[in-house]
């Protein structure tokens, strides 16, 4: 049995079938002596490992290992040598396993090849879909002495037989099936040997696995010939020579490969050549593979050898995306990428090309085109030397794309003893090398106090233990303070050639991350500026990706919204959002997605966004019991959307008490609810302090004046250095309506009843007439101006008669109100006699550091006397506007204008988060 094991572990052994059956000790022949083992009499030098009995040669065994894995291509026996043409006349195509997955797909590939109007075409193909995995499985089962390898081999045979019957007929079919059966017979004998030995070397494995490419190349070439086009097929092991390296990769030998290509072409000239991908030979003519993404690499190498016009990689995607579309649904297809950009994105895990695929074509500036074999109308992505002025691609974006790597850990080595000590970094990374860990990213402070680097999480324990061991003396002496492991990390990389010449790209990137409440743990950037790499928490990775992708205009500014209180104002806001959503997406790149709506009893949740045209129906059909904690977790927990805003449309103080925690979690808050800003002073100051020190936003324009820009105007005055002297205004739309209509013979109770009937008052008019609502608006403006006042510090003149404050119901109050009309009638008469009117106003007196809510008289020519309907009016007296106050006037009540004010705040938030302004 040892002899068989030796044979399988050394391709230099030659076995006969009898040796397999009787365990006869085989003879060993050196590679320099075993040309019969590698060379069929009519083919160029290449290692052929397989089993063919009955082949006699002089001075050799009667039976030898030999693989005939090809259908003979007619050889040009003319003594005249055919020169290999090179240059733009050649177009190289590569079709992967998915493209070659079935007979129908192979026919589709043939159509693409035939429709290419290039003068000469070189086509590289992979094995049919799943075949490579099936071949590896054969090796595994044979090594494991699992008898099912035989049925698995039959499945491989049947897959190719049935495909051949679908595609071919006549002599082509007969020839292919004869060769297929011959190859399967050889493979069965080889797998039997592996079964007996219990293991197979890499060379034997590569040889077995490579059959999938040989069969698919023969099938496609037959189909092309069937369509009347002269076509040869190439076993690239006869041409492509590579040198294996220590890192499980191979380096092409371009000089030797070029010589072999010219020799092959001189014997097999054709304008259409179908070649095997993935497989090649070593300089000793031993079959090998090009490892990961080998077929793409084959196409790039052959493109370089032919100095082709372009290399087209056909896949099942439309091109290279700006980000992983599984993580960023709005990722876009990039029209162009530079070689460097594609290289960087490949390194960081983007599904582009393996970095080594780009190397051969870069030498001759050959572009690579990534196209979808199932969607021919899409032009795909072009990878070339420079992307300058390519159809305006990326003119608004300096970052081409983003990629991520998950399941990493950071290792941080720090200590004062590292500063200025040569060799510390060398010792650290020497230890990492000894463990065999792959360093993904390195970051070092200029003070040399610390070095941190990222490695795969599965390797971090070994790295940490060895570093602790190597640096034990320095750690004990205090020269190093710690070797720290930070688990659960991910890398986010931004890639773009224009980053190198554009100031502010880094600032924009980190600003987007900060606004999404993402903490950056480490940063790395090369001086070429082709990429900026940051390390974030693994759970933040998708949200970070979405945030930066949106910020660089590659997708809409997407905000997950939760609407609290779908009553009069909240319901109106939802209707406004419904009507404007499409316009915001198309014209302003803003995507507002309502992920949840909750009332006091029922809430409606959605994973993708609620259909606002049916939200009331959906709430009835799919609503669940309201739970504020679950509601917030749902709206904020969607990692596919980087930004979250909760819109509180209630007047509930218990909801307002949550604002602080929401802001601290990175959730933005927009509200018309006055309770938070007019509540206890210490809570207000705490809330504002958090708002100022974080990147979360708290907007409350609609708390004063509904949709009027009162808060924004005040903030603008203060921010530009103006000094507020006095703020005076009619802040209640209800009370504005009442006093604007208190004319002629109308009594106060009649006008209040009229306002209630028109819907201007609360269900209980005492809520308006008490002045509490106006007081809250005054306290909000006072605090905004810098006064530290409590609600109780503001004197309020109530319009509710004292005896009626305790009325059992609103109806009882309205019935008894006429009894007290004479009090207000008397005040009104005094005012009219003096040429004045009554107005209910709120005042912030910055000079005397006080506020008030009261009934006041104004001359008939005063702006406050000119109001109509339910309008509000606010006058700002400042050092700049001292003689002529700055006046803001307009509708100050009603669901439409209040909801509009809230909507305006939401859009202001979108602008702050990166939407075009």
């Amino acid at each position: 049995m040892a002899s068989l094991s030796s044979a399988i572990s050394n391709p230099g052994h030659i076995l006969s079938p009898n040796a397999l059956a009787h365990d006869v000790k085989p003879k060993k022949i050196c590679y320099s002596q075993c040309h019969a083992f590698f060379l069929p009499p009519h083919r160029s030098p290449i290692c052929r490992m397989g089993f063919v009995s009955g082949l006699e040669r002089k001075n050799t065994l009667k039976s030898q290992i030999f693989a005939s894995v090809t259908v003979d291509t007619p050889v040009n026996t003319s003594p005249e040598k055919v020169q290999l043409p090179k240059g733009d006349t050649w177009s190289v195509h590569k079709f992967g396993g998915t493209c070659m997955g079935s007979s129908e797909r192979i026919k589709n590939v043939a159509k693409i090849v035939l429709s290419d109007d290039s003068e000469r075409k070189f086509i590289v193909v992979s094995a049919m879909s799943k075949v490579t995995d099936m071949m590896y499985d054969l090796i595994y089962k044979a090594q494991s002495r699992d008898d099912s390898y035989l049925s698995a081999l039959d499945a491989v045979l049947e897959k190719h037989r049935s495909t051949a019957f679908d595609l071919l007929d006549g002599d082509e079919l007969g020839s292919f099936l004869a060769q297929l059966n011959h190859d399967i017979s050889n493979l069965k004998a080889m797998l039997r040997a592996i079964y007996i030995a219990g293991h197979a070397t890499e060379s034997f494995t590569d040889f077995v696995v490579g059959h999938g490419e040989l069969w698919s190349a023969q099938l496609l070439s037959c189909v092309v010939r069937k369509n009347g086009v002269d076509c040869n097929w190439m076993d690239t092991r006869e041409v492509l020579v590579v040198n294996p390296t220590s890192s499980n990769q191979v380096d092409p030998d371009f000089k030797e490969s070029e010589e072999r290509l010219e020799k092959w072409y001189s014997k097999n000239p054709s304008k259409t050549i179908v070649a095997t991908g993935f497989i090649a030979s070593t300089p000793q003519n031993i079959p090998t593979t090009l490892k990961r993404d080998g077929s793409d690499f084959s196409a790039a190498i052959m493109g370089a050898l032919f100095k082709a016009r372009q290399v087209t990689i056909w896949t099942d995607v439309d091109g290279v995306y700006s980000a992983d579309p599984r993580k960023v649904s709005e990722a876009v297809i990039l029209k162009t990428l530079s070689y460097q950009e594609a290289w960087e994105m490949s390194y960081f895990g983007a599904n582009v090309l393996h970095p080594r695929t780009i190397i051969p074509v870069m030498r001759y500036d050959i572009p690579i085109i990534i196209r979808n074999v199932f969607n021919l109308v899409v032009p795909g992505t072009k990878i070339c030397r420079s992307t300058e002025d390519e159809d305006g691609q990326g003119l608004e974006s300096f970052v081409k794309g983003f990629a991520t790597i998950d399941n990493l850990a950071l290792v941080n080595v720090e200590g004062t003893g590292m500063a200025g000590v040569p060799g510390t970094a060398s010792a650290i990374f020497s230890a990492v090398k000894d463990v065999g860990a792959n360093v993904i990213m390195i970051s070092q402070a200029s003070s040399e106090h610390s070095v941190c680097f990222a490695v795969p999480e599965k390797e971090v324990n070994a790295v940490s233990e060895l570093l602790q061991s190597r640096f034990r003396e320095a750690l004990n002496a205090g020269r190093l303070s710690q070797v720290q492991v930070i688990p659960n990390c991910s890398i986010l990389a931004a890639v773009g050639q224009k980053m190198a010449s554009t100031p502010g790209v880094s600032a924009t990137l980190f600003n987007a991350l900060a606004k999404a409440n993402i903490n950056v743990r480490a940063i790395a950037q090369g001086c070429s500026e082709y990429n900026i790499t940051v390390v974030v928490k693994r759970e933040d990775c998708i949200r970070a990706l979405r945030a930066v992708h949106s910020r660089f205009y590659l997708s809409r500014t997407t905000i997950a919204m939760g609407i609290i209180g779908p009553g009069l104002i909240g319901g109106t806001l939802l209707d406004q959002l419904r009507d404007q959503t499409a316009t915001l997406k198309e014209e302003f790149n803003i995507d507002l997605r309502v992920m949840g709506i909750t009332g006091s009893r029922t809430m409606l949740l959605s994973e993708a966004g609620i259909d606002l045209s049916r939200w009331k129906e959906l709430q009835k059909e799919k609503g669940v019991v309201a739970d504020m904690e679950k509601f917030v977790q749902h709206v904020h927990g969607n990692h596919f959307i980087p930004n979250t805003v909760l819109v509180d449309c209630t007047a509930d103080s218990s909801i307002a008490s949550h604002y602080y925690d929401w802001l601290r979690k990175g959730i933005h808050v927009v509200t018309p609810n006055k309770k938070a800003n007019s509540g206890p002073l210490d809570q207000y100051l705490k809330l504002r302090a958090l708002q100022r020190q974080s990147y979360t936003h708290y907007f409350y324009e609609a708390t004063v004046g509904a949709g009027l820009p009162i808060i924004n105007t005040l903030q603008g005055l203060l921010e530009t250095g103006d000094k507020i002297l006095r703020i005076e205004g009619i802040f209640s739309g209800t009370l504005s309506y009442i006093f604007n209509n208190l004319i002629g013979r109308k009594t106060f109770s009649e006008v209040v009843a009229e306002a209630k009937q028109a819907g201007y008052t609360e269900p209980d008019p005492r809520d308006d007439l008490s002045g509490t609502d106006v007081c809250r608006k005054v306290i909000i403006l006072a605090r905004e101006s810098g006064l530290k006042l409590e609600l109780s510090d503001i004197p309020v003149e109530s319009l509710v008669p004292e005896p009626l404050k305790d009325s059992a119901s609103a109806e009882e109050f309205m019935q008894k109100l006429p009894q007290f009309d004479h009090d207000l009638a008397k005040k009104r008469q005094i005012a009219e006699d003096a040429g004045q009117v009554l107005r209910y106003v709120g005042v912030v007196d910055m000079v005397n550091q006080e506020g008030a809510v009261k009934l006041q008289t104004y001359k008939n020519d005063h702006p406050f006397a000119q109001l109509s309907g339910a309008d509000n009016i606010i006058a700002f007296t400042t050092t700049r506007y001292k003689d002529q106050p700055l006046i803001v006037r307009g509708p100050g009540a009603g669901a439409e204008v209040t909801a509009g004010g809230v909507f305006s705040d939401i859009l202001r938030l979108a602008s702050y988060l990166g939407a075009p302004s």
Side-chain angles (χ1 to χ4, degrees):
M1 192 67 69
S3 62
L4 290 171
S5 175
S6 175
I8 298 301
S9 61
N10 190 337
H13 282 107
I14 299 180
L15 297 179
S16 71
N18 290 333
L20 300 178
H22 305 294
D23 197 13
V24 176
K25 184 176 181 180
K27 293 183 179 181
K28 183 174 182 180
I29 299 179
C30 296
Y31 282 113
S32 60
Q33 298 173 332
C34 68
H35 295 294
F37 175 60
F38 299 118
L39 301 179
H42 63 284
R43 306 295 279 178
S44 57
I46 181 161
C47 178
R48 304 289 185 175
M49 292 181 287
F51 299 89
V52 178
S53 59
L55 176 65
E56 295 185 2
R57 287 177 60 88
K58 293 180 182 179
N59 303 321
T60 64
L61 296 175
K62 291 183 179 180
S63 288
Q64 301 179 344
I65 297 181
F66 179 75
S68 177
V69 291
T70 66
V71 177
D72 291 342
T73 306
V75 178
N76 184 356
T77 57
S78 170
E80 182 181 348
K81 185 177 180 181
V82 178
Q83 189 71 29
L84 171 66
K86 296 182 180 180
D88 287 352
T89 59
W90 285 99
S91 176
V92 176
H93 297 264
K94 178 264 172 178
F95 296 93
T98 305
C99 305
M100 301 286 291
S102 65
S103 55
E104 283 303 314
R105 291 185 178 180
I106 293 174
K107 287 178 185 178
N108 186 49
V109 167
K111 287 180 183 177
I112 293 172
V113 171
L114 294 167
S115 65
D116 180 4
D117 58 4
S118 300
E119 184 179 345
R120 296 179 174 86
K121 290 164 279 193
F122 189 89
I123 296 91
V124 177
V125 294
S126 299
M128 291 180 69
S129 179
K130 309 295 184 186
V131 167
T132 300
D133 290 339
M134 293 170 76
M135 302 303 281
Y136 275 117
D137 188 53
L138 290 175
I139 297 288
Y140 175 77
K141 286 180 175 178
Q143 286 183 136
S144 304
R145 296 194 170 99
D146 181 346
D147 290 328
S148 66
Y149 80 86
L150 291 169
S151 60
L153 184 60
D154 288 340
V156 172
L157 171 62
E158 181 54 34
K159 183 179 181 75
H160 290 86
R161 280 184 78 257
S162 61
T163 304
F165 275 110
D166 286 344
L167 294 172
L168 309 177
D169 50 34
D171 292 343
E172 292 275 22
L173 176 60
S175 178
F176 176 81
L177 291 177
Q179 190 62 52
L180 176 65
N181 289 324
H182 182 65
D183 293 344
I184 293 293
S185 177
N186 289 345
L187 284 171
K188 188 175 293 185
M190 176 171 279
L191 290 168
R192 175 64 181 167
I194 294 171
Y195 179 94
I196 294 170
H199 73 280
T201 63
E202 183 179 355
S203 296
F204 272 71
T205 300
D206 287 347
F207 174 74
V208 171
V209 170
H211 278 72
E213 277 71 18
L214 294 163
W215 295 326
S216 63
Q218 293 172 60
L219 282 169
L220 180 60
S221 65
C222 289
V223 175
V224 173
R225 282 198 298 272
K226 187 178 176 181
N227 282 273
V229 175
D230 177 44
C231 177
N232 283 339
W233 81 275
M234 174 193 288
D235 179 351
T236 48
R237 295 177 303 182
E238 300 179 22
V239 171
L240 195 51
V241 179
V242 296
N243 292 295
T245 67
S246 58
S247 56
N248 195 33
Q249 291 189 1
V250 295
D251 292 331
D253 184 336
F254 283 97
K255 187 174 184 297
E256 178 65 22
S257 298
E258 188 171 20
E259 290 176 359
R260 293 193 181 190
L261 175 61
E262 290 175 351
K263 186 181 296 183
W264 185 95
Y265 190 84
S266 69
K267 297 178 179 179
N268 304 279
S270 178
K271 289 189 175 182
T272 303
I273 301 171
V274 179
T276 56
F278 185 56
I279 57 177
S281 293
T282 68
Q284 294 78 31
N285 294 320
I286 299 173
T288 187
T289 66
L290 301 184
K291 317 306 176 190
R292 180 187 165 195
D293 294 315
S295 293
D296 289 354
F297 197 22
S298 298
I301 295 168
M302 298 309 294
L305 292 174
F306 280 106
K307 296 183 176 59
R309 175 172 54 85
Q310 68 181 33
V311 174
T312 303
I313 307 292
W314 293 90
T315 68
D316 56 356
V317 294
D318 288 339
V320 180
Y321 284 87
S322 54
D324 187 339
R326 294 167 298 182
K327 298 176 180 178
V328 182
S329 59
E330 293 85 4
V332 298
I333 299 293
L334 299 171
K335 292 181 181 177
T336 59
L337 277 175
S338 69
Y339 293 129
Q340 289 83 359
E341 288 167 341
W343 199 329
E344 295 281 358
M345 290 185 72
S346 298
Y347 177 79
F348 287 103
N351 187 21
V352 185
L353 295 169
H354 193 281
R356 63 183 181 157
T357 304
I358 301 167
I359 298 172
V361 295
M362 282 182 68
R363 298 173 62 185
Y364 302 105
D365 286 346
I366 300 169
I368 297 177
I369 314 295
I370 311 292
R371 291 194 64 186
N372 190 345
V373 73
F374 306 116
N375 192 7
L376 301 181
V377 297
V378 177
T381 300
K382 181 179 181 180
I383 300 172
C384 53
R385 173 68 62 185
S386 173
T387 60
E388 293 292 328
D389 301 321
E390 285 275 355
D391 301 326
Q393 170 70 28
L395 292 178
E396 76 264 20
S397 174
F398 307 113
V399 178
K400 276 293 182 70
F402 301 90
T404 58
I405 304 177
D406 293 321
N407 302 317
L408 300 177
L410 273 181
V411 180
N412 183 43
V413 183
E414 65 178 60
T416 54
M418 293 174 59
V421 179
T424 304
S426 173
I428 292 171
F429 293 110
S430 175
V432 176
K433 179 187 175 187
D434 290 345
V435 172
N438 180 30
V439 177
I440 308 295
M441 189 202 84
I442 303 169
S443 180
Q444 180 175 7
S446 59
S447 64
E448 300 183 56
H449 177 71
S450 67
V451 175
C452 80
F453 53 92
V455 296
E457 205 157 38
K458 62 184 179 182
E459 300 172 352
V460 72
N461 288 336
V463 170
S464 176
E465 289 171 8
L466 187 54
L467 287 174
Q468 296 275 3
S469 174
R470 290 274 176 96
F471 291 99
R472 180 164 286 116
E473 183 181 335
L475 287 164
N476 292 337
R479 295 193 304 277
L480 288 184
S481 58
Q482 66 174 339
V483 176
Q484 178 189 16
V485 172
I486 305 172
N488 301 319
C489 293
S490 292
I491 277 179
L492 167 64
V495 176
Q497 190 165 344
K498 291 186 178 181
M499 291 162 56
S501 58
T502 307
V505 172
S506 297
T508 303
L509 177 76
F510 292 115
N511 189 35
L513 292 171
K515 287 182 175 180
N517 206 39
I518 305 292
N519 183 42
V520 175
R521 292 185 163 183
I523 305 165
Q525 179 177 4
C527 59
S528 68
E529 287 191 63
Y530 283 127
N531 90 69
I532 301 172
T533 305
V534 298
V535 179
V536 299
K537 292 180 183 177
R538 184 189 302 158
E539 59 264 31
D540 290 340
C541 184
I542 294 178
R543 196 154 48 89
L545 179 62
R546 289 296 303 262
V548 296
H549 193 272
S550 295
R551 187 64 184 89
F552 282 93
Y553 296 86
L554 292 175
S555 70
R556 305 179 185 99
T557 300
T558 308
I559 303 175
M561 297 176 60
I563 307 296
I564 304 169
L568 185 59
I569 294 173
T572 304
L573 174 63
L574 286 166
D575 291 342
Q576 291 178 354
L577 286 167
R578 174 200 64 205
D579 295 340
Q580 199 65 12
T581 297
T583 302
L584 290 173
K585 283 183 180 180
E586 293 168 11
E587 297 184 16
F588 299 97
N589 242 11
I590 298 172
D591 187 359
L592 302 177
R593 299 189 188 179
V594 178
M595 312 301 288
I597 301 170
T598 184
S600 57
R601 298 178 182 177
T602 308
M603 66 180 181
L604 174 64
L605 306 177
S606 170
E607 292 293 336
I610 295 169
D611 179 359
L612 296 184
S613 66
R614 302 179 56 239
W615 71 267
K616 291 181 181 178
E617 299 168 40
L618 292 171
Q619 192 174 38
K620 292 177 182 177
E621 295 171 8
K622 300 183 179 181
V624 296
V625 177
D627 183 317
M628 187 56 67
E629 185 177 344
K630 290 181 180 178
F631 178 80
V632 174
Q633 185 178 0
H634 172 83
V635 177
H636 186 52
N638 191 326
H639 286 180
F640 287 85
I641 301 179
N643 308 298
T644 306
V645 61
L646 293 175
V647 183
D648 175 19
C649 296
T650 72
D652 192 334
S653 57
S654 66
I655 302 295
S657 67
H658 291 292
Y659 293 178
Y660 183 86
D661 289 334
W662 293 345
L663 291 169
R664 194 175 59 181
K665 291 177 181 176
I667 301 172
H668 309 285
V669 177
V670 172
T671 185
N673 188 345
K674 306 172 189 66
K675 298 298 172 64
N677 285 14
S678 62
L681 180 62
D682 59 337
Q683 293 182 22
Y684 167 80
L685 294 175
K686 184 181 175 184
L687 184 64
R688 292 306 304 273
L690 176 64
Q691 180 195 4
R692 291 188 182 99
Q693 70 188 23
S694 71
Y695 278 90
T696 44
H697 298 285
Y698 172 43
F699 293 142
Y700 44 87
E701 182 66 73
T703 57
V704 181
L708 297 179
I710 307 301
I711 299 292
N712 201 30
T713 299
L714 176 56
Q715 290 173 342
L717 292 170
L718 292 170
E719 289 166 2
T720 57
D722 204 352
K723 184 178 181 181
I724 306 298
L725 302 177
R726 183 181 179 88
I727 303 172
E728 187 173 5
I730 298 172
F731 295 103
S732 168
T734 303
L735 294 171
S736 176
Y737 178 89
I738 289 172
F739 284 97
N740 288 339
N741 287 276
L742 191 59
I743 54 177
R745 296 187 176 183
K746 288 183 180 179
T747 64
F748 180 67
S749 61
E750 288 174 346
V751 178
V752 171
E754 185 182 303
K756 188 175 186 299
Q757 183 69 30
Y760 285 113
T761 72
E762 295 292 334
D764 189 337
R766 285 176 293 182
D767 293 340
D768 297 297
L769 299 176
S770 68
T772 303
D773 185 64
V774 176
C775 185
R776 288 190 180 279
K777 294 176 181 179
V778 168
I779 203 73
I780 290 170
L781 293 176
R783 289 175 175 178
E784 199 74 30
S785 302
L787 296 183
K788 295 181 179 179
L789 299 176
E790 293 281 8
L791 201 61
S792 58
D793 294 331
I794 307 295
V796 178
E797 181 179 349
S798 175
L799 298 178
V800 179
E802 192 67 32
L804 299 185
K805 286 183 178 178
D806 297 325
S807 294
S809 65
E811 288 72 20
E812 181 184 336
F813 168 76
M814 290 302 297
Q815 287 174 0
K816 294 181 179 180
L817 185 59
Q819 300 173 17
F820 300 89
D821 280 343
H822 63 276
D823 292 339
L824 204 62
K826 185 177 179 181
K827 292 179 182 180
R828 174 186 166 193
Q829 189 60 51
I830 294 171
E832 288 180 352
D833 291 345
Q836 296 177 330
V837 295
L838 289 176
R839 294 293 183 261
Y840 195 81
V841 298
V843 178
V844 177
D845 186 347
M846 293 298 295
V847 176
N848 296 309
Q849 304 281 289
E850 62 184 17
V853 177
K854 56 189 177 181
L855 190 62
Q856 181 131 328
T857 58
Y858 292 91
K859 291 182 179 181
N860 288 329
D861 61 353
H862 192 279
F864 285 16
Q866 309 299 315
L867 288 185
S868 61
D871 280 4
N872 282 186
I873 186 168
I874 295 91
F876 294 92
T877 304
T878 71
T879 52
R880 293 179 190 159
Y881 297 94
K882 193 170 185 179
D883 299 326
Q884 190 75 21
L886 175 63
I887 291 178
V888 178
R889 173 181 170 174
E896 287 288 338
V897 293
T898 304
V902 175
F903 199 169
S904 179
D905 271 351
I906 294 169
L907 295 181
R908 183 152 63 109
L909 172 64
S911 178
Y912 278 38
L913 295 175
S917 57

